[in-house]
Amino acid sequence: MPESDSSRSDSSKSNSSESGGSGSDSSTRGKTPDHNRQEDIRKVARVLREGNYSYDQSAHLIKKARRRVGLSPPDRSGSGSPERLSSKEQEAFLNAAYDRDGRTGLQMRVLLETGARVSAFVRVRVEDISFRDLEIRLRHTKGEKPRDVPILSSLANELKLHIGERETGWLFRSRQGGHYSKRRIQQIVKSVAEEAGIQKRVYPHLLRHTVAQRLADEGMREELLQQFLGHEAPETTQRYYEPRRTDVKEAFEEAMSGEAMSGEAMR
């Protein structure tokens, strides 16, 4: 993220030049200037206020702005949230799947992008796909509560080519004409990950964690992610929003800096 690195470099130079002495510089080295951050917050707030943005519109605006400057979601590997594939691992995984053959690539893409449990994935039928609404109905879900999950138009186009003239039947048929077994899909996921050079253990539910964490990182509201994943209890979804320790520390320092500044003013 070149711009982010540049910003940190500029902030560091500004900090050093304003400190005026080596002692002051050592006490502030490595910290983000609080007064700059507060000014940036005011600028963003002004844009939102003058643009009369709603909550959802503001979230979309911030998301687009992050992408414009090359910012990507944080890597939560090793944090309290579930393990998942990184962005590079996701790309390598899908590339390896498509390199094997188009059918395997499409299977892995559907599994990854829908967040479906493997038990629901293997039982998806052709008639469960709505190309008009860009949705796939997952019928064999945990708790036996069918739900519709959205799909991208690019994935819908791939599915149309795969289905051809068929109107009914299993979406992915085995050689025997039935649906794939859960065990077989687990084997495929594992072998594709090995071909992609991914070191960690990869299994179908890890792909579900991956898309869930990605959607959470990209700003999907918690109740919407809960609906997407089909969680009955909100606590199950909350783990994808668990803050990292660095996030907690940064928020603490930001909150306490205002109090510290007030204390300085009273002296």
Side-chain angles (χ1 to χ4, degrees):
M1 294 180 287
E3 292 192 31
S4 178
D5 292 339
S6 175
S7 298
R8 281 196 293 270
S9 177
D10 292 343
S11 297
S12 177
K13 292 176 182 178
S14 173
N15 229 11
S16 178
S17 63
E18 290 176 5
S19 62
S22 58
S24 175
D25 177 63
S26 62
S27 66
T28 59
R29 186 179 296 124
K31 296 182 179 179
T32 304
D34 292 322
H35 63 282
N36 285 351
R37 180 182 297 170
Q38 294 300 325
E39 178 60 28
D40 289 341
I41 291 173
R42 284 192 288 269
K43 289 178 182 177
V44 173
R46 190 181 307 121
V47 170
L48 298 179
R49 184 169 54 252
E50 293 177 354
N52 197 28
Y53 286 95
S54 67
Y55 180 89
D56 288 339
Q57 289 172 334
S58 66
H60 182 73
L61 180 71
I62 296 298
K63 175 182 174 182
K64 292 296 184 182
R66 286 186 188 132
R67 289 182 175 176
R68 181 69 64 87
V69 299
L71 294 177
S72 58
D75 183 2
R76 297 179 185 270
S77 300
S79 69
S81 56
E83 187 174 15
R84 64 175 177 122
L85 296 179
S86 67
S87 297
K88 289 184 179 180
E89 288 171 335
Q90 289 178 58
E91 183 178 0
F93 180 81
L94 287 178
N95 284 341
Y98 278 104
D99 284 345
R100 179 182 291 190
D101 58 71
R103 180 189 183 88
T104 302
L106 182 57
Q107 284 180 315
M108 296 302 99
R109 185 180 177 187
V110 171
L111 192 58
L112 178 61
E113 293 188 7
T114 62
R117 293 181 175 89
V118 66
S119 56
F121 167 78
V122 296
R123 290 177 173 82
V124 173
R125 300 180 63 84
V126 171
E127 53 266 40
D128 292 330
I129 301 175
S130 172
F131 292 110
R132 183 191 63 186
D133 298 326
L134 293 179
E135 291 179 337
I136 292 181
R137 171 154 291 189
L138 301 177
R139 298 181 183 276
H140 298 271
T141 62
K142 193 173 182 180
E144 296 300 319
K145 294 181 179 179
R147 71 179 187 279
D148 298 318
V149 296
I151 59 174
L152 298 174
S153 58
S154 58
L155 177 55
N157 290 335
E158 281 192 58
L159 288 170
K160 284 181 181 178
L161 292 174
H162 168 73
I163 293 171
E165 299 300 319
R166 290 191 293 146
E167 296 182 357
T168 61
W170 302 113
L171 176 60
F172 295 108
R173 294 178 297 191
S174 67
R175 292 179 179 177
Q176 291 73 31
H179 64 73
Y180 278 73
S181 68
K182 294 189 294 183
R183 178 60 180 162
R184 180 57 186 143
I185 296 299
Q186 291 166 348
Q187 292 172 341
I188 294 174
V189 169
K190 180 181 178 182
S191 62
V192 168
E194 290 173 350
E195 292 168 13
I198 299 173
Q199 299 301 312
K200 68 182 68 170
R201 187 172 76 91
V202 182
Y203 46 96
H205 213 73
L206 181 68
L207 303 183
R208 176 175 163 87
H209 287 321
T210 296
V211 68
Q213 192 66 71
R214 180 175 180 179
L215 292 172
D217 289 343
E218 290 288 350
M220 178 180 275
R221 298 205 311 272
E222 192 173 316
E223 67 273 18
L224 297 181
L225 182 58
Q226 179 182 348
Q227 181 177 333
F228 175 82
L229 295 172
H231 287 158
E232 290 189 4
E235 293 78 13
T236 310
T237 312
Q238 287 171 4
R239 58 183 171 167
Y240 297 108
Y241 294 87
E242 289 183 2
R244 298 171 300 164
R245 282 183 293 179
T246 52
D247 293 334
V248 174
K249 182 179 179 181
E250 183 176 301
F252 171 81
E253 291 177 347
E254 179 177 340
M256 295 301 288
S257 64
E259 184 174 322
M261 290 172 63
S262 297
E264 290 287 343
M266 293 175 64
R267 291 176 185 172

mmCIF file with all atom_site columns, all heavy atoms in Angstrom, residues 171-194:
data_model
loop_
_atom_site.group_PDB
_atom_site.id
_atom_site.type_symbol
_atom_site.label_atom_id
_atom_site.label_alt_id
_atom_site.label_comp_id
_atom_site.label_asym_id
_atom_site.label_entity_id
_atom_site.label_seq_id
_atom_site.pdbx_PDB_ins_code
_atom_site.Cartn_x
_atom_site.Cartn_y
_atom_site.Cartn_z
_atom_site.occupancy
_atom_site.B_iso_or_equiv
_atom_site.pdbx_formal_charge
_atom_site.auth_seq_id
_atom_site.auth_comp_id
_atom_site.auth_asym_id
_atom_site.auth_atom_id
_atom_site.pdbx_PDB_model_num
ATOM 1   N N   . LEU A 1 171 ? -26.832 -29.597 -9.559  1.00 0.00 ? 171 LEU A N   1
ATOM 2   C CA  . LEU A 1 171 ? -25.994 -28.598 -10.216 1.00 0.00 ? 171 LEU A CA  1
ATOM 3   C C   . LEU A 1 171 ? -24.666 -29.210 -10.632 1.00 0.00 ? 171 LEU A C   1
ATOM 4   O O   . LEU A 1 171 ? -24.206 -29.037 -11.763 1.00 0.00 ? 171 LEU A O   1
ATOM 5   C CB  . LEU A 1 171 ? -25.757 -27.409 -9.270  1.00 0.00 ? 171 LEU A CB  1
ATOM 6   C CG  . LEU A 1 171 ? -24.820 -26.315 -9.784  1.00 0.00 ? 171 LEU A CG  1
ATOM 7   C CD1 . LEU A 1 171 ? -25.353 -25.708 -11.080 1.00 0.00 ? 171 LEU A CD1 1
ATOM 8   C CD2 . LEU A 1 171 ? -24.631 -25.227 -8.723  1.00 0.00 ? 171 LEU A CD2 1
ATOM 9   N N   . PHE A 1 172 ? -24.054 -29.954 -9.715  1.00 0.00 ? 172 PHE A N   1
ATOM 10  C CA  . PHE A 1 172 ? -22.806 -30.654 -10.017 1.00 0.00 ? 172 PHE A CA  1
ATOM 11  C C   . PHE A 1 172 ? -23.050 -32.152 -9.851  1.00 0.00 ? 172 PHE A C   1
ATOM 12  O O   . PHE A 1 172 ? -23.214 -32.648 -8.732  1.00 0.00 ? 172 PHE A O   1
ATOM 13  C CB  . PHE A 1 172 ? -21.676 -30.187 -9.095  1.00 0.00 ? 172 PHE A CB  1
ATOM 14  C CG  . PHE A 1 172 ? -21.285 -28.746 -9.286  1.00 0.00 ? 172 PHE A CG  1
ATOM 15  C CD1 . PHE A 1 172 ? -21.618 -27.794 -8.329  1.00 0.00 ? 172 PHE A CD1 1
ATOM 16  C CD2 . PHE A 1 172 ? -20.614 -28.343 -10.428 1.00 0.00 ? 172 PHE A CD2 1
ATOM 17  C CE1 . PHE A 1 172 ? -21.268 -26.462 -8.503  1.00 0.00 ? 172 PHE A CE1 1
ATOM 18  C CE2 . PHE A 1 172 ? -20.261 -27.000 -10.610 1.00 0.00 ? 172 PHE A CE2 1
ATOM 19  C CZ  . PHE A 1 172 ? -20.594 -26.065 -9.654  1.00 0.00 ? 172 PHE A CZ  1
ATOM 20  N N   . ARG A 1 173 ? -23.081 -32.847 -10.980 1.00 0.00 ? 173 ARG A N   1
ATOM 21  C CA  . ARG A 1 173 ? -23.359 -34.274 -10.958 1.00 0.00 ? 173 ARG A CA  1
ATOM 22  C C   . ARG A 1 173 ? -22.066 -35.075 -10.888 1.00 0.00 ? 173 ARG A C   1
ATOM 23  O O   . ARG A 1 173 ? -21.064 -34.730 -11.517 1.00 0.00 ? 173 ARG A O   1
ATOM 24  C CB  . ARG A 1 173 ? -24.141 -34.685 -12.209 1.00 0.00 ? 173 ARG A CB  1
ATOM 25  C CG  . ARG A 1 173 ? -25.533 -34.093 -12.288 1.00 0.00 ? 173 ARG A CG  1
ATOM 26  C CD  . ARG A 1 173 ? -26.239 -34.501 -13.575 1.00 0.00 ? 173 ARG A CD  1
ATOM 27  N NE  . ARG A 1 173 ? -25.553 -34.002 -14.761 1.00 0.00 ? 173 ARG A NE  1
ATOM 28  C CZ  . ARG A 1 173 ? -26.060 -34.029 -15.993 1.00 0.00 ? 173 ARG A CZ  1
ATOM 29  N NH1 . ARG A 1 173 ? -27.264 -34.553 -16.190 1.00 0.00 ? 173 ARG A NH1 1
ATOM 30  N NH2 . ARG A 1 173 ? -25.380 -33.545 -17.008 1.00 0.00 ? 173 ARG A NH2 1
ATOM 31  N N   . SER A 1 174 ? -22.124 -36.140 -10.127 1.00 0.00 ? 174 SER A N   1
ATOM 32  C CA  . SER A 1 174 ? -20.974 -37.046 -10.059 1.00 0.00 ? 174 SER A CA  1
ATOM 33  C C   . SER A 1 174 ? -20.958 -37.919 -11.304 1.00 0.00 ? 174 SER A C   1
ATOM 34  O O   . SER A 1 174 ? -21.897 -37.882 -12.114 1.00 0.00 ? 174 SER A O   1
ATOM 35  C CB  . SER A 1 174 ? -21.069 -37.918 -8.800  1.00 0.00 ? 174 SER A CB  1
ATOM 36  O OG  . SER A 1 174 ? -22.184 -38.809 -8.908  1.00 0.00 ? 174 SER A OG  1
ATOM 37  N N   . ARG A 1 175 ? -19.924 -38.714 -11.452 1.00 0.00 ? 175 ARG A N   1
ATOM 38  C CA  . ARG A 1 175 ? -19.834 -39.601 -12.614 1.00 0.00 ? 175 ARG A CA  1
ATOM 39  C C   . ARG A 1 175 ? -20.956 -40.628 -12.629 1.00 0.00 ? 175 ARG A C   1
ATOM 40  O O   . ARG A 1 175 ? -21.346 -41.136 -13.686 1.00 0.00 ? 175 ARG A O   1
ATOM 41  C CB  . ARG A 1 175 ? -18.480 -40.310 -12.614 1.00 0.00 ? 175 ARG A CB  1
ATOM 42  C CG  . ARG A 1 175 ? -17.305 -39.374 -12.878 1.00 0.00 ? 175 ARG A CG  1
ATOM 43  C CD  . ARG A 1 175 ? -15.996 -40.129 -12.846 1.00 0.00 ? 175 ARG A CD  1
ATOM 44  N NE  . ARG A 1 175 ? -14.857 -39.253 -13.114 1.00 0.00 ? 175 ARG A NE  1
ATOM 45  C CZ  . ARG A 1 175 ? -13.593 -39.653 -13.095 1.00 0.00 ? 175 ARG A CZ  1
ATOM 46  N NH1 . ARG A 1 175 ? -13.306 -40.921 -12.834 1.00 0.00 ? 175 ARG A NH1 1
ATOM 47  N NH2 . ARG A 1 175 ? -12.629 -38.798 -13.342 1.00 0.00 ? 175 ARG A NH2 1
ATOM 48  N N   . GLN A 1 176 ? -21.469 -40.935 -11.423 1.00 0.00 ? 176 GLN A N   1
ATOM 49  C CA  . GLN A 1 176 ? -22.558 -41.908 -11.323 1.00 0.00 ? 176 GLN A CA  1
ATOM 50  C C   . GLN A 1 176 ? -23.926 -41.265 -11.574 1.00 0.00 ? 176 GLN A C   1
ATOM 51  O O   . GLN A 1 176 ? -24.940 -41.958 -11.613 1.00 0.00 ? 176 GLN A O   1
ATOM 52  C CB  . GLN A 1 176 ? -22.550 -42.568 -9.938  1.00 0.00 ? 176 GLN A CB  1
ATOM 53  C CG  . GLN A 1 176 ? -21.358 -43.486 -9.678  1.00 0.00 ? 176 GLN A CG  1
ATOM 54  C CD  . GLN A 1 176 ? -20.063 -42.717 -9.455  1.00 0.00 ? 176 GLN A CD  1
ATOM 55  O OE1 . GLN A 1 176 ? -20.083 -41.596 -8.932  1.00 0.00 ? 176 GLN A OE1 1
ATOM 56  N NE2 . GLN A 1 176 ? -18.950 -43.302 -9.865  1.00 0.00 ? 176 GLN A NE2 1
ATOM 57  N N   . GLY A 1 177 ? -23.961 -39.944 -11.726 1.00 0.00 ? 177 GLY A N   1
ATOM 58  C CA  . GLY A 1 177 ? -25.211 -39.251 -12.012 1.00 0.00 ? 177 GLY A CA  1
ATOM 59  C C   . GLY A 1 177 ? -25.892 -38.654 -10.801 1.00 0.00 ? 177 GLY A C   1
ATOM 60  O O   . GLY A 1 177 ? -26.865 -37.914 -10.932 1.00 0.00 ? 177 GLY A O   1
ATOM 61  N N   . GLY A 1 178 ? -25.397 -38.969 -9.610  1.00 0.00 ? 178 GLY A N   1
ATOM 62  C CA  . GLY A 1 178 ? -25.957 -38.379 -8.401  1.00 0.00 ? 178 GLY A CA  1
ATOM 63  C C   . GLY A 1 178 ? -25.202 -37.119 -8.022  1.00 0.00 ? 178 GLY A C   1
ATOM 64  O O   . GLY A 1 178 ? -24.449 -36.560 -8.821  1.00 0.00 ? 178 GLY A O   1
ATOM 65  N N   . HIS A 1 179 ? -25.413 -36.669 -6.792  1.00 0.00 ? 179 HIS A N   1
ATOM 66  C CA  . HIS A 1 179 ? -24.650 -35.499 -6.350  1.00 0.00 ? 179 HIS A CA  1
ATOM 67  C C   . HIS A 1 179 ? -23.340 -35.951 -5.710  1.00 0.00 ? 179 HIS A C   1
ATOM 68  O O   . HIS A 1 179 ? -23.180 -37.120 -5.329  1.00 0.00 ? 179 HIS A O   1
ATOM 69  C CB  . HIS A 1 179 ? -25.480 -34.647 -5.375  1.00 0.00 ? 179 HIS A CB  1
ATOM 70  C CG  . HIS A 1 179 ? -25.818 -35.335 -4.085  1.00 0.00 ? 179 HIS A CG  1
ATOM 71  N ND1 . HIS A 1 179 ? -24.895 -35.569 -3.087  1.00 0.00 ? 179 HIS A ND1 1
ATOM 72  C CD2 . HIS A 1 179 ? -26.990 -35.833 -3.621  1.00 0.00 ? 179 HIS A CD2 1
ATOM 73  C CE1 . HIS A 1 179 ? -25.468 -36.163 -2.065  1.00 0.00 ? 179 HIS A CE1 1
ATOM 74  N NE2 . HIS A 1 179 ? -26.748 -36.355 -2.367  1.00 0.00 ? 179 HIS A NE2 1
ATOM 75  N N   . TYR A 1 180 ? -22.394 -35.043 -5.602  1.00 0.00 ? 180 TYR A N   1
ATOM 76  C CA  . TYR A 1 180 ? -21.118 -35.345 -4.968  1.00 0.00 ? 180 TYR A CA  1
ATOM 77  C C   . TYR A 1 180 ? -21.341 -35.643 -3.484  1.00 0.00 ? 180 TYR A C   1
ATOM 78  O O   . TYR A 1 180 ? -22.257 -35.101 -2.854  1.00 0.00 ? 180 TYR A O   1
ATOM 79  C CB  . TYR A 1 180 ? -20.169 -34.162 -5.093  1.00 0.00 ? 180 TYR A CB  1
ATOM 80  C CG  . TYR A 1 180 ? -19.445 -34.069 -6.417  1.00 0.00 ? 180 TYR A CG  1
ATOM 81  C CD1 . TYR A 1 180 ? -20.111 -33.675 -7.577  1.00 0.00 ? 180 TYR A CD1 1
ATOM 82  C CD2 . TYR A 1 180 ? -18.090 -34.367 -6.514  1.00 0.00 ? 180 TYR A CD2 1
ATOM 83  C CE1 . TYR A 1 180 ? -19.452 -33.582 -8.783  1.00 0.00 ? 180 TYR A CE1 1
ATOM 84  C CE2 . TYR A 1 180 ? -17.412 -34.274 -7.721  1.00 0.00 ? 180 TYR A CE2 1
ATOM 85  C CZ  . TYR A 1 180 ? -18.094 -33.887 -8.852  1.00 0.00 ? 180 TYR A CZ  1
ATOM 86  O OH  . TYR A 1 180 ? -17.441 -33.794 -10.044 1.00 0.00 ? 180 TYR A OH  1
ATOM 87  N N   . SER A 1 181 ? -20.479 -36.441 -2.914  1.00 0.00 ? 181 SER A N   1
ATOM 88  C CA  . SER A 1 181 ? -20.516 -36.663 -1.468  1.00 0.00 ? 181 SER A CA  1
ATOM 89  C C   . SER A 1 181 ? -19.729 -35.551 -0.776  1.00 0.00 ? 181 SER A C   1
ATOM 90  O O   . SER A 1 181 ? -18.866 -34.901 -1.386  1.00 0.00 ? 181 SER A O   1
ATOM 91  C CB  . SER A 1 181 ? -19.888 -38.017 -1.123  1.00 0.00 ? 181 SER A CB  1
ATOM 92  O OG  . SER A 1 181 ? -18.490 -38.002 -1.389  1.00 0.00 ? 181 SER A OG  1
ATOM 93  N N   . LYS A 1 182 ? -20.028 -35.336 0.487   1.00 0.00 ? 182 LYS A N   1
ATOM 94  C CA  . LYS A 1 182 ? -19.283 -34.336 1.250   1.00 0.00 ? 182 LYS A CA  1
ATOM 95  C C   . LYS A 1 182 ? -17.803 -34.710 1.298   1.00 0.00 ? 182 LYS A C   1
ATOM 96  O O   . LYS A 1 182 ? -16.934 -33.836 1.195   1.00 0.00 ? 182 LYS A O   1
ATOM 97  C CB  . LYS A 1 182 ? -19.850 -34.215 2.668   1.00 0.00 ? 182 LYS A CB  1
ATOM 98  C CG  . LYS A 1 182 ? -21.259 -33.662 2.737   1.00 0.00 ? 182 LYS A CG  1
ATOM 99  C CD  . LYS A 1 182 ? -21.675 -33.368 4.166   1.00 0.00 ? 182 LYS A CD  1
ATOM 100 C CE  . LYS A 1 182 ? -21.794 -34.621 4.994   1.00 0.00 ? 182 LYS A CE  1
ATOM 101 N NZ  . LYS A 1 182 ? -22.259 -34.337 6.377   1.00 0.00 ? 182 LYS A NZ  1
ATOM 102 N N   . ARG A 1 183 ? -17.543 -35.992 1.472   1.00 0.00 ? 183 ARG A N   1
ATOM 103 C CA  . ARG A 1 183 ? -16.153 -36.462 1.551   1.00 0.00 ? 183 ARG A CA  1
ATOM 104 C C   . ARG A 1 183 ? -15.401 -36.146 0.271   1.00 0.00 ? 183 ARG A C   1
ATOM 105 O O   . ARG A 1 183 ? -14.239 -35.732 0.319   1.00 0.00 ? 183 ARG A O   1
ATOM 106 C CB  . ARG A 1 183 ? -16.153 -37.971 1.816   1.00 0.00 ? 183 ARG A CB  1
ATOM 107 C CG  . ARG A 1 183 ? -14.770 -38.592 1.882   1.00 0.00 ? 183 ARG A CG  1
ATOM 108 C CD  . ARG A 1 183 ? -13.928 -37.993 2.979   1.00 0.00 ? 183 ARG A CD  1
ATOM 109 N NE  . ARG A 1 183 ? -12.613 -38.600 3.034   1.00 0.00 ? 183 ARG A NE  1
ATOM 110 C CZ  . ARG A 1 183 ? -11.580 -38.064 3.651   1.00 0.00 ? 183 ARG A CZ  1
ATOM 111 N NH1 . ARG A 1 183 ? -11.708 -36.897 4.272   1.00 0.00 ? 183 ARG A NH1 1
ATOM 112 N NH2 . ARG A 1 183 ? -10.407 -38.665 3.663   1.00 0.00 ? 183 ARG A NH2 1
ATOM 113 N N   . ARG A 1 184 ? -16.036 -36.307 -0.875  1.00 0.00 ? 184 ARG A N   1
ATOM 114 C CA  . ARG A 1 184 ? -15.358 -36.059 -2.145  1.00 0.00 ? 184 ARG A CA  1
ATOM 115 C C   . ARG A 1 184 ? -15.014 -34.578 -2.298  1.00 0.00 ? 184 ARG A C   1
ATOM 116 O O   . ARG A 1 184 ? -13.919 -34.234 -2.751  1.00 0.00 ? 184 ARG A O   1
ATOM 117 C CB  . ARG A 1 184 ? -16.245 -36.519 -3.308  1.00 0.00 ? 184 ARG A CB  1
ATOM 118 C CG  . ARG A 1 184 ? -15.620 -36.306 -4.678  1.00 0.00 ? 184 ARG A CG  1
ATOM 119 C CD  . ARG A 1 184 ? -14.293 -37.006 -4.795  1.00 0.00 ? 184 ARG A CD  1
ATOM 120 N NE  . ARG A 1 184 ? -13.598 -36.700 -6.043  1.00 0.00 ? 184 ARG A NE  1
ATOM 121 C CZ  . ARG A 1 184 ? -12.281 -36.555 -6.149  1.00 0.00 ? 184 ARG A CZ  1
ATOM 122 N NH1 . ARG A 1 184 ? -11.514 -36.685 -5.079  1.00 0.00 ? 184 ARG A NH1 1
ATOM 123 N NH2 . ARG A 1 184 ? -11.732 -36.282 -7.305  1.00 0.00 ? 184 ARG A NH2 1
ATOM 124 N N   . ILE A 1 185 ? -15.929 -33.705 -1.900  1.00 0.00 ? 185 ILE A N   1
ATOM 125 C CA  . ILE A 1 185 ? -15.652 -32.267 -1.981  1.00 0.00 ? 185 ILE A CA  1
ATOM 126 C C   . ILE A 1 185 ? -14.522 -31.893 -1.037  1.00 0.00 ? 185 ILE A C   1
ATOM 127 O O   . ILE A 1 185 ? -13.649 -31.077 -1.376  1.00 0.00 ? 185 ILE A O   1
ATOM 128 C CB  . ILE A 1 185 ? -16.924 -31.450 -1.664  1.00 0.00 ? 185 ILE A CB  1
ATOM 129 C CG1 . ILE A 1 185 ? -18.005 -31.703 -2.726  1.00 0.00 ? 185 ILE A CG1 1
ATOM 130 C CG2 . ILE A 1 185 ? -16.595 -29.955 -1.584  1.00 0.00 ? 185 ILE A CG2 1
ATOM 131 C CD1 . ILE A 1 185 ? -17.589 -31.310 -4.134  1.00 0.00 ? 185 ILE A CD1 1
ATOM 132 N N   . GLN A 1 186 ? -14.497 -32.486 0.141   1.00 0.00 ? 186 GLN A N   1
ATOM 133 C CA  . GLN A 1 186 ? -13.401 -32.238 1.082   1.00 0.00 ? 186 GLN A CA  1
ATOM 134 C C   . GLN A 1 186 ? -12.063 -32.630 0.467   1.00 0.00 ? 186 GLN A C   1
ATOM 135 O O   . GLN A 1 186 ? -11.066 -31.919 0.617   1.00 0.00 ? 186 GLN A O   1
ATOM 136 C CB  . GLN A 1 186 ? -13.641 -33.008 2.384   1.00 0.00 ? 186 GLN A CB  1
ATOM 137 C CG  . GLN A 1 186 ? -14.806 -32.476 3.206   1.00 0.00 ? 186 GLN A CG  1
ATOM 138 C CD  . GLN A 1 186 ? -15.244 -33.443 4.303   1.00 0.00 ? 186 GLN A CD  1
ATOM 139 O OE1 . GLN A 1 186 ? -14.828 -34.606 4.330   1.00 0.00 ? 186 GLN A OE1 1
ATOM 140 N NE2 . GLN A 1 186 ? -16.094 -32.973 5.208   1.00 0.00 ? 186 GLN A NE2 1
ATOM 141 N N   . GLN A 1 187 ? -12.041 -33.755 -0.240  1.00 0.00 ? 187 GLN A N   1
ATOM 142 C CA  . GLN A 1 187 ? -10.819 -34.214 -0.892  1.00 0.00 ? 187 GLN A CA  1
ATOM 143 C C   . GLN A 1 187 ? -10.382 -33.254 -1.990  1.00 0.00 ? 187 GLN A C   1
ATOM 144 O O   . GLN A 1 187 ? -9.189  -32.959 -2.140  1.00 0.00 ? 187 GLN A O   1
ATOM 145 C CB  . GLN A 1 187 ? -11.032 -35.613 -1.471  1.00 0.00 ? 187 GLN A CB  1
ATOM 146 C CG  . GLN A 1 187 ? -11.212 -36.699 -0.419  1.00 0.00 ? 187 GLN A CG  1
ATOM 147 C CD  . GLN A 1 187 ? -11.618 -38.035 -1.026  1.00 0.00 ? 187 GLN A CD  1
ATOM 148 O OE1 . GLN A 1 187 ? -12.101 -38.089 -2.174  1.00 0.00 ? 187 GLN A OE1 1
ATOM 149 N NE2 . GLN A 1 187 ? -11.432 -39.116 -0.284  1.00 0.00 ? 187 GLN A NE2 1
ATOM 150 N N   . ILE A 1 188 ? -11.345 -32.758 -2.764  1.00 0.00 ? 188 ILE A N   1
ATOM 151 C CA  . ILE A 1 188 ? -11.030 -31.825 -3.843  1.00 0.00 ? 188 ILE A CA  1
ATOM 152 C C   . ILE A 1 188 ? -10.461 -30.525 -3.282  1.00 0.00 ? 188 ILE A C   1
ATOM 153 O O   . ILE A 1 188 ? -9.452  -30.005 -3.777  1.00 0.00 ? 188 ILE A O   1
ATOM 154 C CB  . ILE A 1 188 ? -12.279 -31.543 -4.701  1.00 0.00 ? 188 ILE A CB  1
ATOM 155 C CG1 . ILE A 1 188 ? -12.716 -32.807 -5.444  1.00 0.00 ? 188 ILE A CG1 1
ATOM 156 C CG2 . ILE A 1 188 ? -12.011 -30.406 -5.690  1.00 0.00 ? 188 ILE A CG2 1
ATOM 157 C CD1 . ILE A 1 188 ? -14.026 -32.664 -6.196  1.00 0.00 ? 188 ILE A CD1 1
ATOM 158 N N   . VAL A 1 189 ? -11.105 -29.996 -2.245  1.00 0.00 ? 189 VAL A N   1
ATOM 159 C CA  . VAL A 1 189 ? -10.631 -28.751 -1.631  1.00 0.00 ? 189 VAL A CA  1
ATOM 160 C C   . VAL A 1 189 ? -9.200  -28.925 -1.130  1.00 0.00 ? 189 VAL A C   1
ATOM 161 O O   . VAL A 1 189 ? -8.331  -28.068 -1.360  1.00 0.00 ? 189 VAL A O   1
ATOM 162 C CB  . VAL A 1 189 ? -11.562 -28.332 -0.466  1.00 0.00 ? 189 VAL A CB  1
ATOM 163 C CG1 . VAL A 1 189 ? -10.928 -27.199 0.342   1.00 0.00 ? 189 VAL A CG1 1
ATOM 164 C CG2 . VAL A 1 189 ? -12.908 -27.890 -1.007  1.00 0.00 ? 189 VAL A CG2 1
ATOM 165 N N   . LYS A 1 190 ? -8.942  -30.016 -0.467  1.00 0.00 ? 190 LYS A N   1
ATOM 166 C CA  . LYS A 1 190 ? -7.609  -30.269 0.075   1.00 0.00 ? 190 LYS A CA  1
ATOM 167 C C   . LYS A 1 190 ? -6.561  -30.367 -1.028  1.00 0.00 ? 190 LYS A C   1
ATOM 168 O O   . LYS A 1 190 ? -5.480  -29.762 -0.939  1.00 0.00 ? 190 LYS A O   1
ATOM 169 C CB  . LYS A 1 190 ? -7.626  -31.566 0.889   1.00 0.00 ? 190 LYS A CB  1
ATOM 170 C CG  . LYS A 1 190 ? -6.273  -31.915 1.502   1.00 0.00 ? 190 LYS A CG  1
ATOM 171 C CD  . LYS A 1 190 ? -6.341  -33.234 2.278   1.00 0.00 ? 190 LYS A CD  1
ATOM 172 C CE  . LYS A 1 190 ? -4.974  -33.606 2.843   1.00 0.00 ? 190 LYS A CE  1
ATOM 173 N NZ  . LYS A 1 190 ? -5.015  -34.911 3.566   1.00 0.00 ? 190 LYS A NZ  1
ATOM 174 N N   . SER A 1 191 ? -6.870  -31.113 -2.080  1.00 0.00 ? 191 SER A N   1
ATOM 175 C CA  . SER A 1 191 ? -5.890  -31.304 -3.153  1.00 0.00 ? 191 SER A CA  1
ATOM 176 C C   . SER A 1 191 ? -5.648  -30.016 -3.931  1.00 0.00 ? 191 SER A C   1
ATOM 177 O O   . SER A 1 191 ? -4.516  -29.730 -4.340  1.00 0.00 ? 191 SER A O   1
ATOM 178 C CB  . SER A 1 191 ? -6.354  -32.423 -4.097  1.00 0.00 ? 191 SER A CB  1
ATOM 179 O OG  . SER A 1 191 ? -7.584  -32.097 -4.715  1.00 0.00 ? 191 SER A OG  1
ATOM 180 N N   . VAL A 1 192 ? -6.695  -29.215 -4.148  1.00 0.00 ? 192 VAL A N   1
ATOM 181 C CA  . VAL A 1 192 ? -6.524  -27.934 -4.840  1.00 0.00 ? 192 VAL A CA  1
ATOM 182 C C   . VAL A 1 192 ? -5.635  -27.006 -4.024  1.00 0.00 ? 192 VAL A C   1
ATOM 183 O O   . VAL A 1 192 ? -4.760  -26.325 -4.569  1.00 0.00 ? 192 VAL A O   1
ATOM 184 C CB  . VAL A 1 192 ? -7.900  -27.271 -5.103  1.00 0.00 ? 192 VAL A CB  1
ATOM 185 C CG1 . VAL A 1 192 ? -7.720  -25.820 -5.541  1.00 0.00 ? 192 VAL A CG1 1
ATOM 186 C CG2 . VAL A 1 192 ? -8.662  -28.036 -6.179  1.00 0.00 ? 192 VAL A CG2 1
ATOM 187 N N   . ALA A 1 193 ? -5.838  -26.985 -2.712  1.00 0.00 ? 193 ALA A N   1
ATOM 188 C CA  . ALA A 1 193 ? -5.014  -26.141 -1.837  1.00 0.00 ? 193 ALA A CA  1
ATOM 189 C C   . ALA A 1 193 ? -3.550  -26.563 -1.896  1.00 0.00 ? 193 ALA A C   1
ATOM 190 O O   . ALA A 1 193 ? -2.651  -25.723 -1.897  1.00 0.00 ? 193 ALA A O   1
ATOM 191 C CB  . ALA A 1 193 ? -5.538  -26.209 -0.412  1.00 0.00 ? 193 ALA A CB  1
ATOM 192 N N   . GLU A 1 194 ? -3.316  -27.867 -1.949  1.00 0.00 ? 194 GLU A N   1
ATOM 193 C CA  . GLU A 1 194 ? -1.944  -28.362 -2.046  1.00 0.00 ? 194 GLU A CA  1
ATOM 194 C C   . GLU A 1 194 ? -1.313  -27.945 -3.362  1.00 0.00 ? 194 GLU A C   1
ATOM 195 O O   . GLU A 1 194 ? -0.147  -27.536 -3.413  1.00 0.00 ? 194 GLU A O   1
ATOM 196 C CB  . GLU A 1 194 ? -1.935  -29.889 -1.901  1.00 0.00 ? 194 GLU A CB  1
ATOM 197 C CG  . GLU A 1 194 ? -2.278  -30.364 -0.484  1.00 0.00 ? 194 GLU A CG  1
ATOM 198 C CD  . GLU A 1 194 ? -2.438  -31.872 -0.398  1.00 0.00 ? 194 GLU A CD  1
ATOM 199 O OE1 . GLU A 1 194 ? -2.468  -32.542 -1.468  1.00 0.00 ? 194 GLU A OE1 1
ATOM 200 O OE2 . GLU A 1 194 ? -2.536  -32.395 0.729   1.00 0.00 ? 194 GLU A OE2 1
#
